[in-house]
């Protein structure tokens, strides 16, 4: 149930917006009121518009044209049609002709996304290849399915001079009807070779294709077992990260430093070796090449040295902050023990996205066949929407981006709400029975407007980037170097802005879950906290994310190795490339889902920790909410600052709690 007392909640929200974030009281999980109600109403109105588009496309008859198909004269196959004014061959009775047949099915128009061919309604699709007009004539006489134009009788197929234009292009490929959509599609997709040359070199060899498909079917039990193995490995890795996080982070840090030092050393060694090599033995033609290689090695060695020095200085500065990353990973492991339903959150989100994408694609297909019949230059029928309604597909595309981002944002808000509840509950025995469901309840009752606003901001950035990418693809090879550089720069800048906004949005949702403020206030508060802890944020986002990426690689490699060992023993099937690719892709998807949630939990915990240390100092009445592991980190930091004396002023400025003025 969404809030009923809108005026009262808006008053609370507006009063909080006027307060300065540095002086405002943070009361975790106490003050609950609706946030960003106008944005929720706007999102509801937008969804109503999406529903109107779907209803309009179905009500105007597009569903019958989409499912049953129609010929080039506007007749729907499988039913009796009404005569269209000034259009020949329209209004025909196609009750016995249920399938759409294209005279030249391989003539694709990629720009307009359609087949450039005359379409006819036929009684049956040719299941075997027809090489001559005599074969086409025999097929029509035996099956009652005329594959030439309606104006040409089967008896005239071999005698008429118009047969080359009104009959299908020879040879007619063997085809079969597409299930549920009644279109005759070529069985051998090699006829699309000129549009997919890279693909066709692989699939045109039917023996290879059949072996691949049979390999998947033969080894389906192994594939399912390996997919289950990747799921188990992902869950085991999440537990391992918690218990060996300290060792894992330091091993990773040491390996990175050793790798940089080793690479730099090898480059300088190669440079010195090549410089000492005698040049008298080199022929004059290769002397210039040798000098260029020597100069390139020198540049590479200098660049690697500079990179290594910068990396070493960064590690030196952040060495004390790596301990916070370790502590956060350890606490994140505890969160998953107390909130086991977090593991399944990606599956519910993926299920919701799939349902919406299926709805969106079906509506888009309906839109493609809706509108009024219009005769084109060739005398055939096309269905077009006139007036303002012709721009509905733009609205539909915006809906795809906004609603998809809304679903993803709901996941972020749900995870943030559950983790915030865990963090700011001092006695973990008092946690709700299902913190995830409690978080979903708070999301639906209070914060749908905040999620709608945050997802809309991401949509505003995505749409221009997609438009620029489309323009770049259309102008590829035609624009000059300057225009190409400007386009790529704009696309790159918008991509970076989108990533930054995604990260800020996630932290804004966390701030909203903590203090129930609207999106702008939460984003401002989260931004201030992140800026005050910039070095800690950098450490977590570099060390932590890289460690999780290595975890994904580990799961994929382990699953792939197990797949190679198992498939290698199947003597009846030797080509196991496709099953292995399927297994590795699934393993990466599962690992990404699990570890991305882990990464999200770590980010939420960090913001909670930063707010906790900013507004509490551990004194009576201002006790910390944090876990014992994080409290030990704070105590160790204080001891280190006391021992350092004045030399630790730099770190003290960051670690000292910023008390509010009363």
């Amino acid at each position: 149930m969404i809030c009923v007392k809108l005026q009262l909640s808006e008053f609370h929200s507006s009063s909080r917006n006027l307060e300065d974030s540095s002086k405002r009281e943070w009361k975790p999980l106490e003050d609950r009121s609706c946030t960003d109600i106008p944005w929720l109403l706007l999102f509801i109105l937008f969804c109503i518009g999406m529903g109107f588009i779907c209803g309009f496309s179905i009500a105007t008859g597009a569903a019958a044209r989409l499912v049953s198909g129609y010929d080039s004269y506007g007749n729907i196959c499988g039913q009796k049609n009404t005569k269209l004014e000034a259009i020949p061959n329209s209004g025909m009775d196609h009750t016995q002709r249920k399938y759409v047949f294209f005279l030249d099915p391989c003539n694709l128009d990629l720009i307009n996304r359609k087949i450039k061919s005359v379409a006819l309604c036929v009684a049956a699709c040719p299941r075997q290849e027809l090489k001559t007009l005599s074969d086409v004539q025999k097929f029509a006489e035996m099956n009652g399915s005329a594959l030439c134009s309606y104006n040409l009788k089967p008896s005239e197929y071999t005698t008429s001079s118009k047969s080359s234009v009104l009959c299908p292009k020879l040879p007619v490929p063997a085809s079969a009807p597409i299930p549920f959509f009644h279109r005759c599609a070529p069985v051998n997709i090699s006829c699309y070779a000129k549009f997919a040359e890279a693909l066709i070199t692989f699939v045109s060899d039917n023996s290879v294709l059949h072996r691949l498909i049979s390999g998947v079917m033969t080894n389906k039990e192994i594939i399912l077992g390996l997919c289950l193995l990747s799921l188990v490995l992902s869950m085991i890795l999440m537990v391992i990260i918690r218990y060996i996080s300290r060792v894992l982070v330091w091993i990773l840090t040491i390996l990175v430093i050793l790798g940089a030092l080793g690479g730099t050393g090898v480059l300088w060694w190669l440079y010195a070796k090549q410089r000492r090599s005698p040049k008298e033995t080199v022929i004059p033609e290769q002397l210039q090449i040798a000098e260029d290689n020597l100069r390139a090695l020198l540049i590479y060695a200098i660049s690697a040295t500079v990179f290594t020095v910068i990396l070493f200085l960064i590690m030196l500065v952040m060495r004390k902050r790596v301990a916070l990353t370790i502590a956060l990973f350890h606490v994140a492991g505890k969160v998953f023990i107390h909130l086991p339903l977090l593991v399944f959150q990606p599956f519910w989100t993926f299920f919701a996205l799939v349902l919406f994408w299926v709805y969106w694609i079906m509506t888009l297909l309906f839109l493609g066949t809706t509108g009024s019949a219009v005769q084109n230059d060739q005398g055939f029928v096309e269905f077009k929407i006139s007036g303002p309604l012709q721009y509905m597909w733009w609205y539909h595309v915006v809906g795809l981006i906004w609603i998809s981002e809304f679903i993803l944002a709901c996941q972020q808000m749900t995870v943030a709400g559950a983790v915030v509840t865990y963090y700011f509950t001092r006695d973990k025995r008092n946690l709700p029975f299902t913190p995830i469901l409690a978080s979903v309840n708070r999301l639906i009752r209070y914060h749908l407007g905040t999620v709608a606003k945050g997802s809309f901001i991401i949509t505003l950035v995505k749409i221009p980037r997609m438009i620029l990418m489309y323009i770049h693809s259309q102008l590829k090879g035609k624009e000059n170097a300057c225009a190409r550089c400007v386009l790529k720069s704009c696309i790159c800048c918008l991509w970076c802005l989108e990533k930054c906004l995604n990260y800020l949005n996630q932290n804004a949702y966390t701030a909203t879950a903590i203090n129930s403020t609207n999106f702008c206030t939460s984003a401002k508060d989260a931004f201030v906290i992140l800026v005050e802890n910039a070095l800690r944020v950098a450490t977590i986002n570099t060390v932590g994310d890289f460690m999780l990426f290595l975890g994904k690689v580990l799961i994929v490699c382990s699953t792939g190795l197990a797949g190679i060992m198992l498939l290698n023993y199947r003597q009846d099937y030797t080509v196991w490339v496709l099953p292995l690719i399927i297994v590795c892709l699934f393993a990466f998807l599962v690992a990404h889902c699990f570890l991305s949630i882990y990464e999200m939990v770590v980010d939420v915990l960090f913001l909670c920790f930063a707010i906790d240390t900013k507004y509490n100092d551990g004194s009576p009445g201002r006790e910390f909410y944090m876990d014992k592991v994080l409290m030990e980190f704070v105590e160790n930091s204080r001891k280190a600052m006391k021992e350092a004396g004045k030399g630790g002023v730099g770190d003290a400025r960051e670690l000292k709690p910023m008390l509010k003025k009363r």
Side-chain angles (χ1 to χ4, degrees), residues 65-77:
R65 286 195 289 269
L66 174 64
V67 176
S68 300
Y70 60 95
D71 61 14
S72 296
Y73 308 100
N75 301 302
I76 299 176
C77 299

Side-chain angles (χ1 to χ4, degrees), residues 6 73 103 117 177 205 211 438 563 602 624-625:
L6 300 182
Y73 308 100
L103 298 188
S117 171
D205 184 358
R211 289 207 308 272
V602 170
F624 288 123
Y625 287 93

Side-chain angles (χ1 to χ4, degrees), residues 13 20 40 148 209 219 314 359 409 417 454 471 484 501 538 570 618:
S13 178
D20 182 65
L40 176 58
C148 295
L209 181 62
N219 298 283
I314 292 175
Y359 155 81
I471 295 174
R484 183 167 57 252
L501 287 176
R570 301 298 295 264

Side-chain angles (χ1 to χ4, degrees), residues 93 180 248 288 386 398-399 442 451 497 569 572 585-586 646 657:
D93 186 0
F180 307 109
L248 197 60
Q288 184 62 38
S386 59
V398 174
R442 289 197 300 271
V451 171
L497 178 61
Y569 286 101
D572 56 335
L585 288 177
F586 183 83
K646 295 182 179 181

